[in-house]
Amino acid sequence: MENKKGLFNTFLQLVLLCFIAVKAEQLLDDGGGWSSVSDSSLQDEGPCNIDVLDGSSISLREFIERYAYSRPVILRGLTDNTKFRKLCSKSSLLEEYGDRRVRLSTANTYSYRKVDVPFQEYVDTFLRPQSVDSLGSDTLYFFGDNNFTEWQSLFKHYKSPPYVLPHTSGAYSFGIAGPGTGVPFHWHGPGYSEVIFGRKRWFLYPPDQEPHFHPNRTTLSWLTETYPNLPQEEAPLECTIRPGEVLYFPDRWWHATLNLDTSVFISTFLG
């Protein structure tokens, strides 16, 4: 009788473990808990006219010769960030960092306005879809201003892209933003951007082709008002990246981003 009871308890434990594992996998599949039924995701991913390669199909030398200094590229399966992805679920980040203060930035090309709020407040109050008529100066979201010491326990689990340009080192910028948000056109040094949850649409122009945009208008307004009327010769390079994909952009390339879902993302700037 005792043996049967022990076997039954063991069976219940296995069922419970399987249930927990399934729920955890479902959590990751549905965007780590960041997406909801009311989430106003944007459905148009647009075209993709950027090279998309399997990370294992290109060597560092080929990357340097073909892309590093000349054009963007998207690499799939470059690193395995499964553990980091689990740590970036909504429940995990709120449990670990809910009380930490994060610095929010305006979505304006030339603005330096910053606002500090607890991470829990950002998620509860600021993390929401953006309307097309919002101005960049009135839009606050979390991206780029990270206190590396406070977030070190998270960043140490991130596996950055292995292709580092000569005489450079990487610096991380971590962010979470709602549908319709993004940064308008700007440029800086080279780097990578990886989506952890959600989808992020990218628009890029080479350094000698400055796009037409208003610095205080958001990427969403540019997409709806300017983008449809661009002549073919002024069309950008563009693509939507998903979890497991890394986009590389060269030095001084103009770029703007648009989060199609509530997205979690991290960039590695090479300086």
Side-chain angles (χ1 to χ4, degrees), residues 105-174:
S105 305
T106 53
N108 180 303
T109 299
Y110 304 116
S111 171
Y112 296 96
R113 180 184 169 214
K114 308 290 183 182
V115 176
D116 293 336
V117 300
F119 181 57
Q120 180 76 61
E121 181 181 341
Y122 171 67
V123 173
D124 293 341
T125 306
F126 293 90
L127 189 62
R128 57 178 183 267
Q130 180 173 280
S131 62
V132 69
D133 57 351
S134 296
L135 293 176
S137 56
D138 298 327
T139 304
L140 292 167
Y141 78 115
F142 172 44
F143 172 59
D145 286 289
N146 308 308
N147 183 315
F148 190 83
T149 302
E150 290 189 350
W151 292 79
Q152 172 61 23
S153 59
L154 176 66
F155 291 159
K156 70 180 182 181
H157 296 289
Y158 178 65
K159 295 181 180 179
S160 59
Y163 300 153
V164 179
L165 304 187
H167 313 297
T168 67
S169 59
Y172 297 142
S173 287
F174 179 69

Side-chain angles (χ1 to χ4, degrees), residues 2-263:
E2 290 295 327
N3 288 338
K4 289 184 177 180
K5 186 176 181 181
L7 289 171
F8 182 70
N9 287 337
T10 301
F11 173 75
L12 287 179
Q13 290 175 353
L14 289 173
V15 170
L16 180 60
L17 288 173
C18 288
F19 176 77
I20 293 174
V22 168
K23 294 301 289 182
E25 189 63 31
Q26 289 176 344
L27 183 67
L28 294 178
D29 288 344
D30 72 356
W34 292 104
S35 301
S36 66
V37 175
S38 60
D39 198 356
S40 302
S41 297
L42 305 178
Q43 298 306 315
D44 185 11
E45 294 190 356
C48 183
N49 52 14
I50 298 175
D51 290 352
V52 181
L53 305 176
D54 187 293
S56 63
S57 68
I58 183 171
S59 66
L60 172 59
R61 180 176 177 177
E62 290 173 321
F63 170 76
I64 296 291
E65 292 177 348
R66 295 169 56 186
Y67 299 104
Y69 305 105
S70 58
R71 54 187 171 138
V73 63
I74 295 170
L75 301 169
R76 290 177 174 163
L78 197 58
T79 55
D80 182 3
N81 274 305
T82 303
K83 184 174 183 179
F84 182 76
R85 191 166 183 252
K86 290 179 180 178
L87 293 173
C88 289
S89 69
K90 185 176 183 180
S91 58
S92 294
L93 285 183
L94 287 177
E95 180 179 356
E96 183 70 21
Y97 300 101
D99 295 332
R100 309 273 182 95
R101 297 186 75 80
V102 295
R103 177 156 290 181
L104 310 183
S105 305
T106 53
N108 180 303
T109 299
Y110 304 116
S111 171
Y112 296 96
R113 180 184 169 214
K114 308 290 183 182
V115 176
D116 293 336
V117 300
F119 181 57
Q120 180 76 61
E121 181 181 341
Y122 171 67
V123 173
D124 293 341
T125 306
F126 293 90
L127 189 62
R128 57 178 183 267
Q130 180 173 280
S131 62
V132 69
D133 57 351
S134 296
L135 293 176
S137 56
D138 298 327
T139 304
L140 292 167
Y141 78 115
F142 172 44
F143 172 59
D145 286 289
N146 308 308
N147 183 315
F148 190 83
T149 302
E150 290 189 350
W151 292 79
Q152 172 61 23
S153 59
L154 176 66
F155 291 159
K156 70 180 182 181
H157 296 289
Y158 178 65
K159 295 181 180 179
S160 59
Y163 300 153
V164 179
L165 304 187
H167 313 297
T168 67
S169 59
Y172 297 142
S173 287
F174 179 69
I176 303 170
T181 62
V183 289
F185 283 104
H186 64 289
W187 59 266
H188 44 67
Y192 295 95
S193 181
E194 179 170 357
V195 172
I196 309 302
F197 291 111
R199 298 167 298 153
K200 181 183 286 286
R201 190 172 173 181
W202 279 73
F203 307 93
L204 303 103
Y205 287 95
D208 60 353
Q209 190 179 351
E210 182 175 352
H212 299 290
F213 71 99
H214 189 290
N216 199 33
R217 297 292 287 170
T218 63
T219 304
L220 184 60
S221 65
W222 176 87
L223 179 65
T224 57
E225 298 166 6
T226 304
Y227 177 88
N229 301 313
L230 290 175
Q232 186 173 359
E233 64 272 15
E234 294 183 20
L237 287 178
E238 63 175 292
C239 200
T240 294
I241 60 172
R242 295 169 166 269
E245 298 179 336
V246 175
L247 181 140
Y248 169 79
F249 50 89
D251 186 28
R252 297 178 180 268
W253 271 64
W254 290 93
H255 55 276
T257 61
L258 180 68
N259 296 293
L260 301 184
D261 313 298
T262 297
S263 302

